Amino acid sequence: MSTPDIRVEKGHAEPEEVAAITAILLARAAAAPSDAQTHRGRAKAGWRRLEREPGFRAPHSWH
């Protein structure tokens, strides 16, 4: 007997429920992104590198 590809971690799923979620996942994976927009990266990183920040910020400052 082989190991299943989908496993229920908590609770009990009926075979019909597992089949339904499997069908949904397979349909999503097979769908071609026809009208999907291309992802453009940000011009600036959304995070800061702490070594490039000043050593101290006043608690009342905005920056």
Side-chain angles (χ1 to χ4, degrees):
M1 190 166 155
S2 65
T3 59
D5 293 330
I6 296 177
R7 180 178 61 192
V8 177
E9 291 290 327
K10 187 174 182 181
H12 176 72
E14 298 295 324
E16 295 85 11
E17 295 171 322
V18 175
I21 194 69
T22 303
I24 291 170
L25 292 174
L26 289 173
R28 292 277 316 240
S34 59
D35 57 346
Q37 299 176 359
T38 58
H39 177 69
R40 296 183 184 168
R42 294 183 183 184
K44 184 178 177 184
W47 47 270
R48 298 178 309 205
R49 294 183 61 174
L50 296 177
E51 66 268 14
R52 293 184 182 173
E53 293 292 319
F56 175 76
R57 286 190 182 181
H60 62 275
S61 68
W62 285 90
H63 293 92

